[in-house]
Amino acid sequence: MSASGLFTGNLVRLAAIRAEEDAAVFARWSENSHYLRLFDSDPAQPFSPKHFQRLYDEEPGVDKYDFGIRTLTEDELVGIITLDDISWPHGTGWVSIGIGDAEQWGKGLGTDAMNILLRFAFDEVSLSRVSLNVFEYNQRAIHTYDRLGFKVEGRIPGFLMRDGRRWDLIFMGLLRNEWQGAS
Amino acid sequence: MDLNPGPLFVGEHILLTPPRPEIDAAIEAQWSEDPQYLAMLQSEPVRPLSAEQVRRKKRPEENRYNQFSFSIRLKHDERLIGFAELRNIQWAHGLAWVRLGIGNPQDRQLGYGTEALALLLRFAFEELNLYEMLAVVYEYNTAGIKCFEKAGFSIRVRQREAILRFGKRWDALWLSLLHEDWQKARGGNRA
């Protein structure tokens, strides 16, 4: 068992989302369209703090785990990471991550958070498989997932329409027995 | 300039009609008692549903602009034989997920699903003007894979060991069909 606990990595830890105080930070991130276009396929749109407060105020469901990513040094909220769409009978789930604070990109915080989440998914939730989607133009993320052990399982051609052209949606998957463990 | 000949929702042997839950629910409840049928369509655990449960499940679909649901009926007597739907339409990207099923084993292998899929694709591409159709099929559903491939779909993604059923692990396959490829396969430009 990990000495420092399941939710602590080398640079960051995974914490509960604090609906009231974190909402203003999420709202600020949602004003950065570059971030939004890496995060999902919904048309990019800024949201109010109230929107995020409502989103995270409810009791978590049984097939979804949301965490805030906070730095160990400053306890600053830098991103969000989610294990959701869990299928209990099949032992599978989907992961998504966003480092909303663009000043924190390229420092390995996302890799560290993913390592913690994968440990949680495999060692605590006991899943046998974790899936994710990433957009063709998000090369930084693809590289990170590749280093974590995810394998490309295919792509949907032209899934996204952005800036007047089509981009592929890439599927990646990691099986429990392929996972090297959190570093 | 001529309009595309032929009505959108009428095939050679089948019709696509709006769901008629008052009549359909009892029949769909019967289908739900066949675990093999449900295992082809969903990853969720199969379970028999009552007619009332079927009705409740269907209700929220109404008036949703990102979903179109049809019943498949035989042309000559309007008997209900299956369902076909477009779900989770993403308008900004021109995408939708296709799902269809023929409920009774006796009604399968007769080309009804193929006909329904052809109508659904024409509706998606020429009425909704979508760009790409997606379908998720599990590895053990060989009839389903064949049906989509016959309509022009290609396997794009193979999610390894995503489904645990019948005592072993199976891949989940994602297929897709681009509007332009569908058009090419139908012989290019029509008058």
Side-chain angles (χ1 to χ4, degrees):
Chain A
M1 294 224 170
S2 157
S4 52
L6 266 184
F7 300 116
T8 308
N10 301 319
L11 304 166
V12 297
R13 68 191 181 92
L14 305 192
I17 289 175
R18 304 164 191 169
E20 213 156 311
E21 59 178 274
D22 291 350
V25 181
F26 294 142
R28 186 152 43 78
W29 295 346
S30 80
E31 293 173 0
N32 178 354
S33 63
H34 186 53
Y35 168 67
L36 296 181
R37 290 170 129 206
L38 297 175
F39 192 71
D40 65 24
S41 64
D42 295 339
Q45 174 186 8
F47 283 107
S48 68
K50 202 170 187 175
H51 165 86
F52 289 103
Q53 198 176 330
R54 266 201 301 263
L55 199 62
Y56 292 110
D57 229 0
E58 45 198 82
E59 281 300 305
V62 294
D63 59 355
K64 187 173 162 72
Y65 297 89
D66 287 312
F67 302 98
I69 304 172
R70 310 190 83 95
T71 58
L72 289 182
T73 48
E74 312 281 333
D75 198 37
E76 186 198 343
L77 180 70
V78 294
I80 183 162
I81 190 164
T82 300
L83 179 65
D84 68 358
D85 266 329
I86 291 174
S87 168
W88 296 104
H90 304 295
T92 60
W94 289 75
V95 59
S96 65
I97 180 174
I99 304 296
D101 184 350
E103 281 171 28
Q104 303 285 356
W105 290 357
K107 297 181 179 174
L109 305 187
T111 304
D112 197 37
M114 277 295 275
N115 263 318
I116 306 171
L117 189 85
L118 291 172
R119 179 171 64 197
F120 175 71
F122 290 126
D123 287 353
E124 180 67 9
V125 187
S126 297
L127 298 185
S128 62
R129 188 198 141 89
V130 172
S131 310
L132 63 80
N133 280 148
V134 58
F135 304 142
E136 179 186 4
Y137 52 69
N138 193 355
Q139 287 299 324
R140 182 205 303 272
I142 295 170
H143 182 64
T144 299
Y145 302 145
D146 178 64
R147 267 188 324 184
L148 286 162
F150 281 86
K151 292 201 165 68
V152 173
E153 296 181 317
R155 51 171 66 209
I156 306 288
F159 184 96
L160 280 186
M161 175 78 171
R162 267 176 179 157
D163 290 337
R165 58 156 284 190
R166 290 278 168 183
W167 308 86
D168 295 351
L169 177 71
I170 296 171
F171 281 67
M172 300 180 86
L174 177 62
L175 305 183
R176 177 203 199 87
N177 59 16
E178 295 169 344
W179 181 57
Q180 302 298 311
S183 50
Chain B
M1 190 189 76
D2 285 334
L3 277 178
N4 183 30
L8 266 183
F9 304 117
V10 182
E12 199 188 335
H13 304 97
I14 57 116
L15 309 166
L16 296 187
T17 74
R20 299 172 187 162
E22 341 62 77
I23 326 170
D24 295 351
I27 301 168
E28 290 182 40
Q30 276 170 23
W31 297 344
S32 77
E33 292 175 7
D34 174 4
Q36 295 283 342
Y37 172 65
L38 291 184
M40 299 302 150
L41 294 171
Q42 62 185 44
S43 63
E44 295 83 35
V46 303
R47 55 149 72 169
L49 299 172
S50 68
E52 180 50 35
Q53 283 172 312
V54 170
R55 262 191 293 270
R56 260 206 304 273
K57 236 178 134 179
K58 292 249 155 177
R59 203 165 297 144
E61 294 172 3
E62 286 171 28
N63 304 321
R64 258 207 242 158
Y65 201 50
N66 65 353
Q67 176 156 339
F68 291 86
S69 300
F70 301 95
S71 292
I72 307 175
R73 313 189 107 85
L74 286 184
K75 210 164 150 183
H76 71 275
D77 61 1
E78 301 210 356
R79 180 169 65 86
L80 178 74
I81 58 165
F83 76 95
E85 61 190 9
L86 297 175
R87 309 210 299 182
N88 195 18
I89 299 175
Q90 297 202 19
W91 290 104
H93 307 292
L95 304 168
W97 274 254
V98 178
R99 231 168 67 107
L100 71 163
I102 303 292
N104 248 324
Q106 302 95 287
D107 292 326
R108 294 185 201 140
Q109 313 279 329
L110 298 173
Y112 299 147
T114 300
E115 229 181 275
L117 181 56
L119 290 177
L120 196 65
L121 290 174
R122 187 147 67 93
F123 176 69
F125 288 135
E126 297 198 331
E127 178 64 16
L128 305 183
N129 297 321
L130 297 178
Y131 173 82
E132 186 171 23
M133 292 296 106
L134 294 110
V136 183
V137 185
Y138 309 125
E139 188 182 4
Y140 50 74
N141 183 3
T142 46
I145 296 168
K146 218 187 287 173
C147 177
F148 283 111
E149 284 185 328
K150 210 161 39 168
F153 282 76
S154 305
I155 296 173
R156 313 286 194 186
V157 178
R158 182 175 283 275
Q159 290 190 291
R160 298 163 301 148
E161 301 183 18
I163 299 288
L164 177 53
R165 250 190 191 138
F166 316 121
K168 66 168 272 199
R169 292 215 161 258
W170 308 83
D171 299 343
L173 309 182
W174 291 61
L175 296 91
S176 89
L177 172 60
L178 296 162
H179 187 163
E180 55 185 16
D181 292 340
W182 174 77
Q183 226 161 8
K184 267 181 227 150
R186 298 172 90 230
N189 300 328
R190 279 172 292 104

